[in-house]
Amino acid sequence: MPKPQSHERPYHHGDLRRAIVMAALEILHETQSLEFSLRELARRAGVSHNAPYKHFADKRELLAAVSAAGFETLTKRMAREIVGLDNARERLFAMLRAYIDHGVENPALYSLMFGGHLSGPERSRPAIERAEAEKTKALLAGVIVAGGLGRAIPHISRNERKIAGAILACWSLVHGLTLLLADGLVGPKKKSGALGDSLVQGILDGLAVELPALPPGTWIGPQGS
Amino acid sequence: MPKPQSHERPYHHGDLRRAIVMAALEILHETQSLEFSLRELARRAGVSHNAPYKHFADKRELLAAVSAAGFETLTKRMAREIVGLDNARERLFAMLRAYIDHGVENPALYSLMFGGHLSGPERSRPAIERAEAEKTKALLAGVIVAGGLGRAIPHISRNERKIAGAILACWSLVHGLTLLLADGLVGPKKKSGALGDSLVQGILDGLAVELPALPPGTWIGPQGS
DNA sequence: TGCGTCATGTTGACGATGGCAACTTTATAT
DNA sequence: ATATAAAGTTGCCATCGTCAACATGACGCA
């Protein structure tokens, strides 16, 4: 029985690291600001200000772990949203909707995941989150290929570049829209689902994009919700 | 003659504020990291660590000013790239290319401009940069409308939503692609121009997106350059 | 000319932060 | 049972953002 782990503190702490990451997600969700202190996380977890250093070499590594957790929940959410859907196009839309919602509901986390807060002086991101990000990407790519152009472009190796281009286009579009919404640069956020559907529909059908009904002039400017 | 402003220090300092912002842009370009200190900027400008507070209430306000400067140079760069071009489509491509290049060449600055580093606990961004961002958006919107669908969709008020949708789609696509490239999530960066052209072409023509020639498998994964 | 005022820059201090080193406590393996 | 490694603690340091008080120069007005 390696982990009794009841609500008391069985031995030293039980499972710090997870506690720290969860505290970070909590505070991120509460304050919607990236400027929290390592020490505050330690306080929340009920440990001393240096305990986290036994699990993370750096603050950057801690942030990377939080980002990885964000990717993980994103992947799970997208996967959950498409179970039971047969139509490939429906699956694509449901997934992208989940993607956008995840970002819009949690702007600070999304900003942490993609805002480049991690790529300091060196080039590469920490490997921990890299792996998680790849899983997310893989799920995205699969559903995009199936739903976006499964019939239009046969999946033979000749068309690889075309397929890669479609994935990139779709991802870029959704990524950009999510950030614009999360930043409040376009809005209102409540319509994000409809906006996303319209845009993806548009990119799939060619540029016959028509926005859903919105009060004219509100889609751009101060954040709406 | 209100400002002799030679390379000596005529009186107090001459033109701090600009010096501070430029120092920030410098250090941003050098280190590609957002984690610089107000004090270091002051050091670079040759003033004491509290001098900046006479020009910026806050560090956040300082960052906002830097972001605004980023928007300004972006706008100028895009405008410069399209002078002399008649064909509306050419103008669109040149402008978007400039947009993407600006982001890719200066990831930290782009991240500051769009990464949500500013929206702390409160909602709205500082007004200083808001104005500058609006100018950028206006230029973008104009050229997109002219080049993207000037002929396809007549610019009567009936089609307003359609037009807004096209702008949003185009901006989202380019914004997302720029961030993906800047973050090194897709690459290589050197091909960013071609990638952008392809994607925009694709969104304009419908989803017949074909990427330019790249070594297969390199377009996604560790950053290429 | 002299003087007051305001903008600008300086000095010094405070609390908090990220990170290091040294020490203590618990779990596990031999 | 005892050594060893893992996990947590205390104390410390340089630095950071910010505040308050003070100094210095420029400019308007007598």
Side-chain angles (χ1 to χ4, degrees):
Chain A
M1 45 244 66
K3 25 178 175 171
Q5 202 223 5
S6 80
H7 55 287
E8 317 164 359
R9 318 195 182 127
Y11 63 124
H12 260 158
H13 176 268
D15 187 8
L16 240 174
R17 170 146 196 140
R18 197 175 313 267
I20 296 282
V21 171
M22 278 178 49
L25 289 171
E26 243 181 70
I27 206 174
L28 220 55
H29 194 260
E30 287 174 12
T31 71
Q32 290 301 336
S33 163
L34 284 311
E35 287 153 18
F36 55 85
S37 65
L38 212 110
R39 283 163 119 101
E40 181 165 0
L41 300 186
R43 260 174 252 134
R44 291 215 177 196
V47 295
S48 197
H49 69 270
N50 251 334
Y53 282 92
K54 302 294 165 173
H55 299 270
F56 307 96
D58 226 334
K59 188 181 186 184
R60 198 162 141 274
E61 204 171 291
L62 182 262
L63 292 179
V66 176
S67 171
F71 276 109
E72 200 182 335
T73 73
L74 171 57
T75 307
K76 278 183 188 163
R77 180 169 180 171
M78 290 194 301
R80 174 161 35 88
E81 286 298 319
I82 63 176
V83 296
L85 296 178
D86 297 334
N87 184 322
R89 192 57 69 97
E90 273 181 36
R91 288 165 58 87
L92 176 59
F93 276 66
M95 184 186 70
L96 295 183
R97 208 175 190 121
Y99 185 104
I100 295 172
D101 285 347
H102 177 269
V104 168
E105 293 169 13
N106 224 325
L109 178 56
Y110 196 79
S111 170
L112 173 60
M113 291 160 62
F114 287 107
H117 298 253
L118 28 80
S119 39
E122 327 100 25
R123 342 175 80 33
S124 63
R125 308 179 167 217
I128 321 112
E129 71 148 350
R130 189 117 201 139
E132 217 57 51
E134 288 296 325
K135 287 187 205 167
T136 304
K137 186 194 72 54
L139 176 57
L140 269 172
V143 178
I144 290 173
V145 168
L149 34 70
R151 209 183 41 222
I153 305 180
H155 193 293
I156 56 180
S157 69
R158 197 59 187 272
N159 290 321
E160 234 179 62
R161 289 217 310 272
K162 214 170 274 196
I163 292 172
I167 295 172
L168 183 55
C170 210
W171 189 16
S172 293
L173 182 76
V174 175
H175 182 46
L177 176 62
T178 303
L179 274 162
L180 255 22
L181 285 165
D183 270 7
L185 279 163
V186 308
K189 290 184 184 178
K190 308 178 76 161
K191 294 285 187 178
S192 60
L195 279 173
D197 284 359
S198 293
L199 260 49
V200 175
Q201 187 71 54
I203 203 182
L204 292 177
D205 295 345
L207 198 58
V209 180
E210 176 148 9
L211 286 183
L214 297 175
T218 65
W219 73 274
I220 211 147
Q223 58 276 38
S225 166
Chain B
M1 46 243 68
K3 26 177 175 171
Q5 201 225 3
S6 80
H7 55 288
E8 316 165 0
R9 314 183 190 138
Y11 67 122
H12 261 157
H13 174 268
D15 187 7
L16 240 174
R17 168 145 195 141
R18 195 175 314 266
I20 295 283
V21 171
M22 278 178 50
L25 288 171
E26 243 180 70
I27 206 174
L28 221 54
H29 194 259
E30 287 174 13
T31 71
Q32 291 300 337
S33 162
L34 284 310
E35 287 153 17
F36 56 85
S37 64
L38 211 111
R39 284 163 120 103
E40 181 166 0
L41 300 186
R43 261 174 251 134
R44 292 216 176 195
V47 295
S48 197
H49 69 271
N50 251 333
Y53 281 91
K54 302 294 165 173
H55 299 271
F56 308 97
D58 225 334
K59 188 182 185 184
R60 197 161 142 274
E61 204 171 294
L62 183 261
L63 292 179
V66 176
S67 171
F71 277 109
E72 200 181 334
T73 73
L74 171 57
T75 307
K76 278 184 188 161
R77 181 169 179 171
M78 290 194 300
R80 174 160 35 87
E81 287 297 320
I82 63 177
V83 296
L85 297 178
D86 297 334
N87 183 321
R89 191 60 67 97
E90 272 180 36
R91 288 165 59 85
L92 176 59
F93 276 66
M95 185 189 69
L96 295 183
R97 209 176 190 118
Y99 185 104
I100 294 172
D101 285 347
H102 178 269
V104 168
E105 292 169 13
N106 224 325
L109 178 57
Y110 196 78
S111 170
L112 173 60
M113 291 159 64
F114 287 108
H117 297 255
L118 28 79
S119 39
E122 328 99 25
R123 338 177 77 43
S124 64
R125 307 180 168 215
I128 320 113
E129 72 149 351
R130 189 118 203 139
E132 218 56 52
E134 287 296 325
K135 287 188 204 165
T136 303
K137 187 194 71 56
L139 177 56
L140 267 172
V143 179
I144 290 174
V145 168
L149 34 69
R151 207 183 42 221
I153 304 178
H155 193 294
I156 56 180
S157 68
R158 197 57 187 273
N159 290 321
E160 235 178 60
R161 289 218 310 273
K162 212 170 277 198
I163 291 172
I167 295 173
L168 183 54
C170 211
W171 189 16
S172 293
L173 182 76
V174 175
H175 183 46
L177 176 63
T178 303
L179 274 162
L180 255 21
L181 285 165
D183 270 8
L185 279 163
V186 307
K189 290 182 182 178
K190 309 178 75 162
K191 295 285 187 176
S192 60
L195 279 172
D197 285 0
S198 294
L199 260 51
V200 175
Q201 187 70 55
I203 204 182
L204 292 177
D205 294 345
L207 198 58
V209 179
E210 176 148 10
L211 287 183
L214 296 175
T218 63
W219 72 274
I220 210 149
Q223 58 272 38
S225 166

